[in-house]
Amino acid sequence: MVPWPIALLALYYGVIAATSAATVWKICAGVMSRSMTWPILWFVVAAGAMFGLTWLKPWGRVLAIVGATWTTVTTLCLAALFIKAGRPGGALLTTLSMTVQVLIIRYLQRPSVKSFFA
């Protein structure tokens, strides 16, 4: 049985995978004109993390940590753009939202959680 925090993380990565798949679909349909590299990469990592977490596979935990790290870096880049635009309040809120990703990384690295994936 999958513990409920891991199930919630799998749901979170499922939402990211669905959003990335929708972006790829829009690009293929011609609604958006941008590169498909990042949406496909996000889809692969998020879908892999989603399935790996629900199956309690070690590679799923690693993909979830990689996804949270990428989201942390993306969030910090967005905060830098807010600072550059002269909106320190938006930068502060964006940076505070990054704490969720740091908590995900710390949770998945706990020894008791690692034991689920052994």
Side-chain angles (χ1 to χ4, degrees):
M1 184 166 166
V2 178
W4 68 269
I6 294 173
L8 288 176
L9 281 177
L11 181 65
Y12 172 74
Y13 282 107
V15 169
I16 294 174
T19 305
S20 299
T23 303
V24 170
W25 183 260
K26 287 179 183 179
I27 292 170
C28 289
V31 176
M32 297 175 75
S33 60
R34 57 183 268 199
S35 173
M36 286 193 351
T37 305
W38 287 109
I40 288 176
L41 193 59
W42 277 106
F43 174 75
V44 168
V45 170
M50 177 186 65
F51 287 116
L53 287 173
T54 55
W55 293 334
L56 296 176
K57 298 292 184 183
W59 51 266
R61 188 182 70 83
V62 171
L63 282 175
I65 291 172
V66 167
T69 304
W70 283 359
T71 308
T72 301
V73 171
T74 304
T75 304
L76 288 175
C77 290
L78 183 62
L81 289 174
F82 274 128
I83 291 170
K84 186 177 178 182
R87 300 181 68 195
L92 181 63
L93 288 175
T94 304
T95 305
L96 289 175
S97 72
M98 184 195 66
T99 58
V100 173
Q101 302 304 319
V102 173
L103 287 175
I104 289 172
I105 294 169
R106 287 183 51 94
Y107 174 73
L108 289 173
Q109 290 181 343
R110 293 173 64 192
S112 60
V113 174
K114 283 183 181 180
S115 67
F116 289 126
F117 296 94

